[in-house]
């Protein structure tokens, strides 16, 4: 038994990882893991992704890419548990139990639901229910910290509220989790200055090759008119301190092309080692599947024990 508090986090396998995912969420996961202070569970949230990806070949590919991505940034499957949400049926089982103690108006207040409602006129039950599955993900492992980007904060509050409600109704069962959000990079901007997001097409992929880096940096919107192209600077600041950037931006004041070239070099040196590991891992999908299968077994043994406790608490065994 690992005596350390648990850390759990997850990402949906819905597309290419980008540097917003890295600086907003993954970097902290790696740092907390490397600190040795937590027992870490890192999840590929494939059942959450099913709301968006309904093509089996694509789903399988995206799961492998995300798992390889986690490993390439330094999350070692030999030393922590990397697993697929779908490997542990307790997640969906507990989500159902939470549904029964949760009201519709409460779920209708979720930002993600409101955004979906603004875009589509018929929202799936899975989209509506998204926070309950995420609460189950977190609470099943008695997770003490959940490192994520700013946009996920409300979901963690939903998990806390749900834990409190369950504990009040059925007795002390779940630990209340804390979000872990780095304020300095809470929202990483994209090439157009809006939040970097695959749904806006404004990303810099985390494992981009040099050609893509050049193409994306050249597309950064620079209509600021001043000496410093703000959207270029905002991304550059992720890679170098303000003190390091000052001389570069002074030397090339007003020369957007030179500043973009400097950003391209810094991005390429930052990305290259991770890209090499990622490409290497993607050459052996069977190794990725095997690591995920092992992780699934380890996760299930923790989650199933918690489920026993839940079943006793609600009186079904
Ligand atoms: P996307 O918006 O591209 O679909 P996801 O919603 O899949 O990204 O996010 C996965 C993780 O990365 C979450 O923890 C989220 O908070 C974090 N994240 C995504 N985009 C950003 C960003 N631009 N800045 C900070 N964190 C981000
Ligand atoms: N909802 C998260 C996202 O969109 C992914 C996620 C699912 C997650 N379950 C989780 C994150 C549990 C942290 C903990 O990024």
């Amino acid at each position: 038994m690992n005596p350390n508090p648990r850390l759990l986090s997850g990402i949906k396998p819905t597309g290419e990882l980008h540097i917003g995912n890295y600086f907003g969420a993954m970097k902290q996961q790696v740092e907390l893991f490397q600190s040795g202070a937590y027992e870490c569970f890192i999840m590929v949230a494939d059942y959450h992704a099913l709301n968006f990806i309904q093509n089996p070949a694509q789903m399988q590919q995206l799961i492998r890419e995300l798992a390889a991505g986690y490993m390439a940034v330094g999350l070692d499957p030999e030393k922590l548990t990397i697993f697929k949400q779908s490997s542990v049926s307790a997640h969906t089982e507990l989500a159902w139990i939470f549904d029964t103690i949760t009201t519709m108006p409460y779920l209708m207040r979720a930002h993600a639901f409101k955004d979906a409602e603004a875009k589509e006129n018929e929202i799936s039950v899975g989209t509506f229910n998204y926070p309950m599955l995420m609460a189950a993900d977190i609470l099943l492992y008695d997770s003490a910290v959940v490192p994520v980007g700013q946009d996920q904060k409300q979901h963690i509050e939903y998990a806390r509220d749900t834990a409190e409600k369950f504990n009040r109704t059925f007795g002390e069962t779940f630990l209340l989790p804390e979000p872990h959000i780095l304020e300095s990079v809470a929202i990483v901007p994209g090439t157009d200055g809006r939040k970097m997001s695959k749904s806006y097409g404004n990303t810099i992929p985390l494992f981009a090759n040099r050609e893509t880096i050049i193409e994306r940096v050249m597309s950064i919107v620079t209509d600021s008119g001043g000496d410093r192209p703000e959207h270029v600077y905002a991304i550059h600041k992720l890679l170098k301190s303000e003190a390091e950037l000052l001389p570069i931006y002074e030397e090339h004041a007003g020369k957007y092309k030179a500043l973009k070239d400097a950003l391209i070099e810094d991005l390429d040196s930052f990305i290259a080692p991770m890209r090499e590991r990622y490409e290497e891992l993607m050459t052996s999908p069977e190794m990725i599947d095997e690591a995920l299968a092992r992780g699934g077994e380890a996760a299930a043994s923790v989650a199933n024990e918690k489920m026993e406790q839940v079943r006793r608490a609600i009186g079904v065994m």
Side-chain angles (χ1 to χ4, degrees):
M1 272 283 286
N2 186 327
N4 289 327
R6 295 214 178 104
L7 172 158
L8 178 133
S9 195
I11 296 182
K12 301 184 295 286
T14 46
E16 211 175 16
L17 286 168
H18 52 74
I19 64 169
N21 300 135
Y22 180 78
F23 287 101
M26 298 173 90
K27 184 165 181 250
Q28 309 169 60
Q29 296 166 12
V30 175
E31 285 170 0
L32 293 170
F33 156 63
Q34 285 171 348
S35 77
Y38 296 96
E39 179 182 7
C40 297
F41 291 82
I42 294 292
M43 187 182 74
V44 175
D46 51 358
Y47 275 168
H48 274 121
L50 193 55
N51 280 310
F52 308 89
I53 305 295
Q54 298 182 341
N55 170 312
Q58 194 189 5
M59 177 69 95
Q60 187 185 36
Q61 178 65 12
L62 287 168
I63 289 170
R64 285 181 180 148
E65 287 176 5
L66 177 55
Y70 277 134
M71 296 179 208
V73 300
L75 297 167
D76 178 354
E78 301 294 325
K79 302 201 184 103
L80 56 82
T81 303
I82 299 185
F83 72 106
K84 285 187 302 192
Q85 187 180 35
S86 60
S87 303
V88 185
S89 54
H91 291 238
T92 44
E93 183 178 355
L94 185 58
W96 171 260
I97 295 171
F98 288 161
D99 283 350
T100 67
I101 59 168
T102 302
T103 68
M104 305 234 315
Y106 174 74
L107 284 178
M108 286 162 106
R109 288 199 290 274
H111 306 314
F113 169 73
K114 288 192 196 157
D115 291 350
E117 203 181 28
K119 279 191 226 133
E120 299 152 45
N121 45 17
E122 292 196 331
I123 296 163
S124 72
V125 177
T127 298
F128 182 61
N129 213 20
Y130 189 105
M132 292 299 104
L133 180 57
M134 181 152 161
D137 299 338
I138 294 170
L139 299 177
L140 268 175
Y141 298 86
D142 285 326
S143 315
V145 293
V146 185
V148 282
Q150 180 72 39
D151 58 350
Q152 294 299 311
K153 190 169 177 203
Q154 193 194 33
H155 284 145
I156 298 173
E157 283 157 9
Y158 270 63
R160 279 179 74 89
D161 287 352
T162 306
E164 273 179 329
K165 183 144 192 201
F166 187 99
N167 289 350
R168 248 192 342 267
T169 312
F170 297 110
E172 219 34 60
T173 307
F174 294 115
L175 184 77
L176 305 192
E178 294 289 344
H180 187 286
I181 295 162
L182 282 187
E183 291 309 325
S184 55
V185 287
I187 299 174
V188 173
T191 52
D192 57 0
R194 292 189 293 170
K195 174 193 169 228
M196 186 177 289
S197 172
K198 55 188 161 263
S199 45
Y200 296 151
N202 62 357
T203 65
I204 297 180
L206 182 56
F207 307 116
N209 59 29
R210 190 171 168 90
E211 211 176 300
T212 307
I213 297 174
I214 295 173
E215 180 243 308
R216 296 295 165 96
V217 170
M218 287 306 164
S219 78
I220 297 177
V221 180
T222 50
D223 52 5
S224 50
D227 279 349
R228 190 168 88 182
E230 290 308 327
H231 300 333
V232 175
Y233 187 75
I235 295 173
H236 220 157
K237 225 167 53 170
L238 300 165
L239 306 168
K240 281 201 158 124
S241 70
E242 299 198 20
E244 287 171 302
L245 290 178
L246 192 67
I248 305 173
Y249 280 74
E250 268 176 10
E251 187 191 337
H252 301 296
K255 297 188 201 121
Y256 293 177
K257 170 75 171 57
L259 291 167
K260 283 186 170 181
D261 285 345
L263 176 58
I264 289 168
E265 290 315 316
D266 286 337
L267 273 170
D268 197 33
S269 354
F270 165 72
I271 287 176
M274 293 191 291
R275 178 176 65 215
E276 279 162 28
R277 280 198 295 276
Y278 176 77
E279 284 171 0
E280 165 84 35
L281 286 158
M282 286 302 287
T283 60
S284 36
E286 57 304 328
M287 195 280 291
I288 300 172
D289 293 351
E290 202 193 299
L292 284 172
R294 264 186 287 124
E297 280 173 31
S301 83
V302 173
N304 291 341
E305 204 176 303
K306 193 76 191 174
M307 252 348 268
E308 295 282 297
Q309 200 185 333
V310 170
R311 290 163 149 270
R312 273 197 303 278
I314 64 176
V316 298
M317 65 181 281

